Amino acid sequence: MRIPTIKDDRLYTKEHEWVKIEGDAAMVGISDYAQDLLTDVVFVELPKAGKALEQFKPACVVESVKSVSDVYAPLSGTVSEANSALEKSPEAINGDPYGAGWIFKITGFKTEETANLMDAAAYKAFIATLKH
Amino acid sequence: MPYIPHTKRDTEEMLKAIGINQIEDLFEAVPSDLLEMNEFNLPAGFSEQETRQHVSGIAAKNWTAEASFLGGGFYHHYIPEHVTNLGTRSEFFTAYTPYQPEISQGILQAIFEYQTMIVRLTGLDATNASMYDGSSATGETCLMAANITDRKKILVARSVHPQYREVMRTYCNGKGLIMEEVPFDMSSGQVDAAALGSSLTEEIAGIFVQSPNFFGVVENMKELSDMAHEKGAVSVQIITEALSLGILTPPGKNNVDIAVGEGQSFGIPVSGGGPSFGFLACVEKYIRKLPGRIVGETVDEDGKKAYVLTLQAREQHIRREKASSNICTNQTLFAIRALIYLATLGKKLRDLALLNHSHSLAFQKMLSEKGLRRVFSKPFFNEFVVDGCDTLLLQKLKEQRIAGGLPLKRFYPELKNSLLVCVTEMITKDDMEKYLREFLFIKEAPLRSA
Amino acid sequence: MQTIFEKSVLGRSQYQLPVAIAAEIELGEGMTRSMLDLPEVSELDIVRHYTALSQRSFGVDTGFYPLGSCTMKYNPRINEAMAGLKEFAQFHPWQDDADSQGTLELIYRTQEYLTEVTGFPGLTLEPAAGAHGELTAVMMMKAYHLDRNDTQRRKMLIPDSAHGTNPATAAMCGFDTVEVPSDAQGGVDLEKLKAVLDEKTVGMMLTIPNTLGLFDRNILEISKLLHEKGALLYMDGANLNAILGAVKPAKMGVDVMHINLHKTFSTPHGGGGPGGGFVGCVSSLVPYLPAQRIVKDGDSFRLDFSAPKSIGRVRAFYSNFGVIVRAYTYMLRLGKEGTKRIGRYAVLNANYIKARLKDFYNIPFQQHCMHEVVFNDEKQTQYHITTMDIAKRLIDFGYHPPTIYFPLIVHGSLMVEPTETESKETLDEFIDAMMKIAEEAKVTPELLQRAPHSAAVKRVDSVKAARNPVVVCNTCCT
């Protein structure tokens, strides 16, 4: 298996979401490791703006040809925007998981919840434990 | 032994290869008192010849009409011979779901063509590869409407097929949805639009209206759909007489979101109510909410056109407890038969639909002139309700090997002397005249005895 | 190949209607459609087109079809002939009981047979397919608990090896699903079951034998544990063929089960349907069965609807009556001797394949299997060969591939179900092909990776199909 890219500028969950906080908004996507496991993403069921999220509860769904995966909210808050470009090109999640493949943004989150997330080094160590 | 080809020697060799002495050794995981060693209380097996005699004997106990005016959800239509012939080709009927696209291109393409037919007939954008039947497909559509709108209440017209309403209620109870019935107008025979309007709140997931309805009456689907949309509900049109799609304004043109119904009219015998197939079509935006299999066009490794089951992530084998339906079987064999039927009639489906309408209208007028009056006023497709009929008429008709229609009292106590009469292309002028003669005979009987 | 729409030529249609005896129309403005974009082709075009499509399909009649979990046995032709009898095919479902005696009797007799082989006193043939039977059964379980004012039960236990229909069905009935892991022998992990089983449990949905093709030796313990907590055991009968004539489900402590008539009882699969469902249950669940029941009064039969606690109706009319005729015809042919042999010979065939291929393919579970055997690609991974490659290569040898990548708990699983209707010679030829493929995996792996070579198309692009769904043909026929 290829070695997944893990970016230092954001935090991660055990369910392989990343979150990057920029001012009032927290941008969310799935990690390179997750997109590789999923294989070709064919559809993203985007959350509606205004949807209330709870940390580590399902926020939306990502589909590949052979699987369906929940995307869990890394932080509690409200969906402020979803990446509508994914409606036309879901493959961005595979091609650029940390950039064009972002899925939604959260506002009104509680900063203290970031304590429940992993930084890049911790996440790297975490996925190393998953390999069989 | 029928259908088990093993000779004694085969069995011995196979046991030896496995390394056991008797077949029962393979059942070692079964608790010993559970393994059946005794004889079953069943008759000895029949030869094929005896089987044919026996089953034919049971079949003969059914009464068979020479002319049937029964409709009400299942219809007698003519089936061209080649439709039956092609539809029973064994490559179709002994295959299973085309999960391996490379050796299933024929069935996949046939389903793709079927989907195209249904989409063109309904004027909607997408459909699945078929459902069990019209009633269960309608039950599934309740769940679909709730899933789309995230609401829990279903409104259904009382002029919807009574058994469909029963099935809907069962599905709604299962999922915890609430189903409410809306009355029909006793004079027009259409759903009571005012009553529908007052029940239609922002809690309603969908309105379910059958058109032509159980009384054969065509509903104002556009007006009803617009009412539904105003409250954010989806508009569902149920169709049990699929032939009506040949002439009536298609659901899509009437702003209907989902059309669901029974496809039996397209080349499939009535056969006690099945097997046939249900169809379910919707507007583009709900395609990922459709239950069941869907075939899509794609390419193979060489870039050659190919078909494959697609959007499978909606389905139970992938989505499991998140799936909105558990359906896996569809009715491919009968969807293919309907496809061949539709390809055969082509644009003449419209002529056949018109002929059904004109003949039923002519017969209705013949009856009306003699005093058997129609109950409802709004236009009908190929079946209508008459009042003032008693069991004697049905009995007399039966003696002439005519099934005279369906008494409605069982389902609608207020229609206690009413009969649902259906006229398709199978009914000849002679049949109509016989029917009329029997009616007049009964009507005039008291005069004769006086 | 072109679609029928692309073959359409304006004015070509030859179809002739009977002569009209009336022409008046009473459909007002806006009620009729102006356009009907259906094809125009000659009858011969149609015959050739659909014959060609049938030839690009693969059925049991084409060749060996060892598709695990689907029981692709021979579909006897006499079944078709009996379903096609005029008195059945032209039987209108609204005929009253007196005019429906043949239909009612046939359904009644089918139920009698099923009662004898399953041991269940209560039953219905109303469900239209297996998953429909599952739904009926779980609705009955729900009604049973609610009727006892037992409203706390929300949890449905489902083994991790289950078919997807099980969790989907539980969800359709508003239940939460709890996955129960399998143990090292492929059965239900009893300790893990005990840990999740409580008074909030609706029941357990158990496939017997399970999807690994194994009979759970703890079955009596499982049903006892469930019953102690007031929960019910539902048996998914998708794999009934393994035990037909060998084990009566009711004796295992099963409370309710479904059967697929199109698997165990030889009715054709029809390219994905029609199916036929059956639900059997113990007497305590009888009140909740679908409301339409057939009652025998002396020598005649009638429909009875007096079941106030019933879940209602799951399908209009007499369901897939034609499928029931086929199944009954098969049951008559089997009789008591044949019935007893079905499960035994299905199991013999599967174990024969297992024994002869055990050195060529990895077998995750060593014990005797039931009607199907699960292999995986562990021995082939070193050559970069996957289960998919093996399956596609089988096509070149003239076989329908087995079920692949299911059950999910076995990595790269390849599930082979031969059924009892296949002869030793057929199995030997298949075994030879599998051995040859195992050899090819070592020597010429690219042959497998690029397979199939003989089919109408190469491997297809499923990703493209799902990303940009094209689900209808765009060619106009106007």
Side-chain angles (χ1 to χ4, degrees):
Chain A
M1 197 174 162
R2 62 179 263 277
I3 298 161
T5 307
I6 296 169
K7 292 221 168 188
D8 289 336
D9 59 351
R10 55 200 83 197
L11 299 169
Y12 297 84
T13 71
K14 287 190 172 180
E15 301 286 352
H16 311 290
E17 290 82 18
W18 56 258
V19 57
K20 190 179 173 196
I21 298 175
E22 285 174 332
D24 293 343
M27 191 186 258
V28 179
I30 63 170
S31 72
D32 187 31
Y33 177 83
Q35 72 75 21
D36 202 41
L37 271 188
L38 266 175
T39 70
D40 296 304
V41 173
V42 296
F43 182 67
V44 187
E45 208 178 288
L46 294 169
K48 285 192 182 114
K51 179 177 171 149
L53 301 176
E54 199 179 325
Q55 190 178 31
F56 305 138
K57 291 277 155 69
C60 70
V61 172
V62 177
E63 295 181 9
S64 69
V65 170
K66 297 255 151 46
S67 73
V68 176
S69 301
D70 282 319
V71 177
Y72 295 86
L75 297 169
S76 306
T78 307
V79 175
S80 61
E81 191 189 343
N83 183 4
S84 58
L86 294 177
E87 286 170 9
K88 285 261 180 302
S89 35
E91 60 272 20
I93 289 184
N94 299 113
D96 188 8
Y98 297 116
W102 68 276
I103 302 172
F104 57 89
K105 289 180 187 171
I106 310 176
T107 51
F109 53 86
K110 300 178 197 136
T111 317
E112 61 268 26
E113 281 184 354
T114 57
N116 306 327
L117 302 173
M118 291 176 275
D119 64 13
Y123 180 61
K124 200 171 196 170
F126 171 69
I127 57 175
T129 66
L130 301 177
K131 289 183 186 151
H132 10 255
Chain B
M1 194 53 53
Y3 317 133
I4 300 178
H6 302 62
T7 63
K8 197 157 172 274
R9 196 172 146 189
D10 291 337
T11 307
E12 284 163 9
E13 284 177 13
M14 292 167 81
L15 290 172
K16 202 172 149 202
I18 300 168
I20 53 170
N21 298 318
Q22 53 172 355
I23 295 180
E24 280 74 15
D25 295 348
L26 297 170
F27 290 82
E28 56 84 26
V30 176
S32 57
D33 49 338
L34 289 186
L35 191 64
E36 295 291 334
M37 299 303 288
N38 297 330
E39 287 294 302
F40 281 84
N41 183 19
L42 296 170
F46 285 5
S47 68
E48 184 178 311
Q49 186 181 340
E50 290 159 333
T51 302
R52 183 185 292 273
Q53 284 160 354
H54 173 90
V55 178
S56 302
I58 296 176
K61 295 176 188 173
N62 273 349
W63 178 73
T64 307
E66 276 166 16
S68 174
F69 291 83
L70 283 171
F74 258 59
Y75 302 89
H76 294 283
H77 288 293
Y78 182 72
I79 304 170
E81 197 55 38
H82 70 277
V83 172
T84 307
N85 188 280
L86 291 166
T88 50
R89 281 189 68 90
S90 81
E91 298 92 330
F92 289 142
F93 89 73
T94 71
Y96 193 40
T97 309
Y99 286 126
Q100 296 289 336
E102 298 85 356
I103 45 169
S104 311
Q105 284 299 302
I107 285 181
L108 286 163
Q109 179 172 333
I111 296 174
F112 183 78
E113 291 183 5
Y114 159 82
Q115 290 173 179
T116 306
M117 291 283 189
I118 295 297
V119 160
R120 291 182 186 194
L121 282 170
T122 56
L124 292 163
D125 305 312
T127 181
N128 62 18
S130 74
M131 307 286 283
Y132 307 139
D133 82 311
S135 68
S136 58
T138 307
E140 290 269 0
T141 307
C142 295
L143 310 189
M144 185 179 167
N147 188 16
I148 287 169
T149 55
D150 215 1
R151 298 178 183 180
K152 286 191 168 309
K153 243 171 138 176
I154 300 291
L155 281 188
V156 57
R158 222 172 133 249
S159 47
V160 168
H161 191 296
Q163 294 193 339
Y164 278 49
R165 279 181 285 133
E166 288 178 48
V167 173
M168 289 169 73
R169 194 169 291 283
T170 308
Y171 274 77
C172 285
N173 283 344
K175 188 69 187 177
L177 306 179
I178 298 158
M179 182 176 121
E180 194 184 312
E181 294 196 350
V182 179
F184 58 88
D185 184 284
M186 267 304 277
S187 102
S188 70
Q190 291 177 327
V191 63
D192 184 335
L196 182 85
S198 58
S199 299
L200 191 50
T201 64
E202 268 152 19
E203 287 186 308
I204 303 297
I207 62 161
F208 286 68
V209 178
Q210 180 178 329
S211 181
N213 66 24
F214 192 62
F215 311 127
V217 175
V218 182
E219 299 274 4
N220 293 327
M221 286 313 300
K222 187 160 189 301
E223 179 196 336
L224 301 173
S225 296
D226 293 345
M227 283 167 69
H229 292 154
E230 217 164 279
K231 301 288 180 185
V234 294
S235 167
V236 181
Q237 181 178 350
I238 301 168
I239 298 155
T240 65
E241 173 47 301
L243 179 62
S244 65
L245 289 166
I247 180 66
L248 297 181
T249 306
K253 277 253 192 270
N254 282 333
N255 301 343
V256 166
D257 301 297
I258 303 172
V260 58
E262 173 58 55
Q264 175 269 331
S265 288
F266 296 149
I268 299 160
V270 287
S271 188
S276 58
F277 73 97
F279 60 86
L280 175 50
C282 67
V283 289
E284 178 87 44
K285 62 181 168 184
Y286 301 141
I287 183 170
R288 285 175 194 271
K289 303 287 182 187
L290 275 173
R293 297 167 185 146
I294 299 175
V295 171
E297 187 185 308
T298 183
V299 292
D300 76 354
E301 281 174 352
D302 296 341
K304 195 169 146 189
K305 184 169 86 174
Y307 301 95
V308 68
L309 291 173
T310 193
L311 304 179
Q312 290 194 66
R314 295 166 298 112
E315 293 184 70
Q316 48 77 26
H317 61 282
I318 292 175
R319 218 175 190 93
R320 300 177 77 86
E321 72 279 359
K322 287 196 204 76
S324 56
S325 168
N326 73 348
I327 197 165
C328 40
T329 303
N330 63 340
Q331 303 280 121
T332 302
L333 191 62
F334 293 97
I336 292 178
R337 208 188 272 222
L339 163 68
I340 300 169
Y341 178 87
L342 290 167
T344 300
L345 270 85
K347 295 184 180 61
K348 294 204 173 144
L349 190 76
R350 185 189 160 93
D351 301 342
L352 180 64
L354 270 175
L355 185 140
N356 269 251
H357 172 69
S358 296
H359 284 200
S360 58
L361 183 64
F363 186 54
Q364 184 263 316
K365 291 194 166 168
M366 280 161 77
L367 290 174
S368 185
E369 271 170 31
K370 304 294 179 196
L372 203 53
R373 283 196 172 54
R374 194 176 163 225
V375 175
F376 302 117
S377 62
K378 287 289 179 180
F380 61 90
F381 173 59
N382 69 353
E383 51 192 332
F384 53 90
V385 179
V386 291
D387 194 20
C389 128
D390 51 29
T391 45
L392 187 62
L393 172 65
L394 291 179
Q395 194 51 45
K396 282 281 168 199
L397 288 169
K398 197 173 149 187
E399 285 164 18
Q400 299 293 320
R401 302 207 76 77
I402 293 173
L406 175 66
L408 293 179
K409 189 173 69 178
R410 233 173 103 183
F411 320 108
Y412 303 96
E414 67 271 43
L415 297 173
K416 66 176 192 290
N417 291 319
S418 298
L419 194 67
L420 179 66
V421 179
C422 176
V423 179
T424 71
E425 75 281 8
M426 301 299 276
I427 297 294
T428 63
K429 198 168 178 210
D430 198 38
D431 299 329
M432 293 182 193
E433 282 163 358
K434 259 194 204 166
Y435 196 120
L436 214 58
R437 247 190 335 263
E438 292 305 321
F439 172 67
L440 288 174
F441 182 82
I442 294 169
K443 195 181 156 194
E444 286 155 15
L447 297 176
R448 273 197 305 275
S449 59
Chain C
M1 214 178 114
Q2 281 188 319
T3 63
I4 196 76
F5 304 97
E6 290 159 315
K7 289 178 177 174
S8 173
V9 176
L10 216 55
R12 171 68 49 81
S13 174
Q14 303 165 309
Y15 193 74
Q16 241 179 323
L17 300 178
V19 176
I21 56 169
E24 198 185 340
I25 299 167
E26 264 185 21
L27 298 170
E29 190 104 343
M31 287 175 71
T32 59
R33 68 192 301 156
S34 51
M35 194 188 66
L36 192 59
D37 188 9
L38 298 192
E40 294 195 53
V41 275
S42 72
E43 187 173 319
L44 178 57
D45 288 339
I46 288 172
V47 171
R48 289 214 176 115
H49 183 74
Y50 292 104
T51 300
L53 288 190
S54 77
Q55 288 164 341
R56 289 158 72 99
S57 306
F58 193 103
V60 175
D61 285 11
T62 318
F64 185 44
Y65 208 126
L67 191 65
S69 211
C70 299
T71 314
M72 301 302 289
K73 61 170 77 175
Y74 170 60
N75 305 132
R77 291 309 184 270
I78 184 68
N79 298 358
E80 301 306 307
M82 295 302 94
L85 288 171
K86 183 183 164 201
E87 297 90 341
F88 285 149
Q90 294 185 22
F91 167 69
H92 194 284
W94 281 134
Q95 289 182 206
D96 55 28
D97 290 356
D99 296 340
S100 311
Q101 288 297 303
T103 292
L104 295 173
E105 179 174 340
L106 187 127
I107 297 173
Y108 190 86
R109 284 173 176 267
T110 308
Q111 292 183 351
E112 283 185 323
Y113 175 96
L114 288 168
T115 288
E116 174 61 18
V117 299
T118 61
F120 289 114
L123 64 180
T124 178
L125 283 160
E126 192 166 294
H132 205 213
E134 250 181 69
L135 181 64
T136 306
V138 175
M139 283 174 172
M140 287 165 60
M141 292 164 80
K142 183 174 182 170
Y144 166 87
H145 289 306
L146 288 180
D147 193 32
R148 298 155 64 95
N149 278 325
D150 202 346
T151 54
Q152 295 303 303
R153 296 183 188 266
R154 314 270 324 144
K155 260 186 0 191
M156 185 65 91
L157 311 186
I158 299 175
D160 55 4
S161 58
H163 290 118
T165 51
N166 292 173
T169 302
M172 276 177 96
C173 294
F175 295 137
D176 304 321
T177 58
V178 176
E179 198 170 89
V180 183
S182 303
D183 63 16
Q185 284 75 47
V188 173
D189 188 320
L190 286 181
E191 290 314 310
K192 300 237 164 83
L193 170 63
K194 285 178 196 161
V196 292
L197 178 61
D198 58 20
E199 273 77 19
K200 290 186 176 169
T201 305
V202 176
M204 184 167 195
M205 300 179 78
L206 199 58
T207 306
I208 308 174
N210 68 20
T211 61
L212 298 162
L214 304 174
F215 190 94
D216 199 318
R217 58 179 71 248
N218 296 320
I219 182 62
L220 294 174
E221 177 71 11
I222 294 169
S223 56
K224 191 170 141 255
L225 286 171
L226 287 162
H227 292 157
E228 278 169 5
K229 298 284 182 192
L232 299 171
L233 176 58
Y234 159 80
M235 169 172 162
D236 181 321
N239 293 341
L240 179 75
N241 206 54
I243 57 169
L244 181 68
V247 182
K248 288 189 181 182
K251 287 193 185 170
M252 296 188 284
V254 172
D255 297 294
V256 56
M257 80 174 294
H258 94 265
I259 293 177
N260 309 70
L261 295 179
H262 54 287
K263 292 180 182 174
T264 315
F265 293 100
S266 84
T267 74
H269 287 59
F278 151 81
V279 169
C281 66
V282 294
S283 53
S284 56
L285 283 164
V286 167
Y288 316 103
L289 279 164
Q292 176 172 297
R293 317 219 175 144
I294 295 173
V295 177
K296 191 177 181 191
D297 278 339
D299 286 337
S300 68
F301 300 86
R302 64 178 169 84
L303 289 178
D304 185 277
F305 298 94
S306 58
K309 293 182 174 179
S310 161
I311 58 162
R313 182 184 277 284
V314 295
R315 165 77 163 79
F317 301 126
Y318 296 96
S319 195
N320 283 348
F321 174 65
V323 175
I324 301 170
V325 177
R326 288 170 173 88
Y328 179 66
T329 303
Y330 176 72
M331 291 166 186
L332 284 177
R333 292 284 281 127
L334 293 184
K336 61 177 163 190
E337 315 86 346
T339 298
K340 209 170 154 184
R341 283 177 170 77
I342 298 298
R344 286 172 167 82
Y345 282 83
V347 170
L348 176 69
N349 275 2
N351 279 283
Y352 179 67
I353 292 175
K354 175 170 173 274
R356 292 208 47 210
L357 286 177
K358 67 174 189 292
D359 297 334
F360 299 83
Y361 295 91
N362 183 55
I363 298 173
F365 299 96
Q366 295 309 313
Q367 66 265 46
H368 292 314
C369 64
M370 298 300 281
H371 66 307
E372 60 195 2
V373 49
V374 176
F375 299 99
N376 74 0
D377 54 8
E378 209 174 287
K379 283 191 202 294
Q380 283 73 35
T381 330
Q382 55 183 314
Y383 313 114
H384 304 287
I385 290 301
T386 65
T387 288
M388 181 68 82
D389 302 326
I390 297 163
K392 297 300 183 195
R393 184 64 181 146
L394 272 168
I395 293 172
D396 291 330
F397 284 85
Y399 297 108
H400 191 285
T403 293
I404 52 175
Y405 300 106
F406 185 85
L408 306 172
I409 59 170
V410 173
H411 187 80
S413 56
L414 185 89
M415 187 207 265
V416 177
E417 179 183 7
T419 86
E420 75 285 355
T421 60
E422 299 295 341
S423 68
K424 179 169 176 292
E425 287 77 6
T426 302
L427 303 185
D428 284 335
E429 284 164 20
F430 173 74
I431 289 162
D432 288 345
M434 286 291 283
M435 289 175 176
K436 183 126 195 287
I437 291 171
E439 180 64 19
E440 286 176 354
K442 294 181 200 164
V443 186
T444 51
E446 65 287 352
L447 205 55
L448 275 67
Q449 285 151 351
R450 296 198 49 81
H453 304 274
S454 59
V457 295
K458 294 284 182 62
R459 292 192 200 182
V460 306
D461 188 345
S462 302
V463 174
K464 177 182 158 72
R467 277 189 182 154
N468 301 301
V470 177
V471 298
V472 291
C473 174
N474 290 322
T475 307
C476 273
C477 308
T478 48

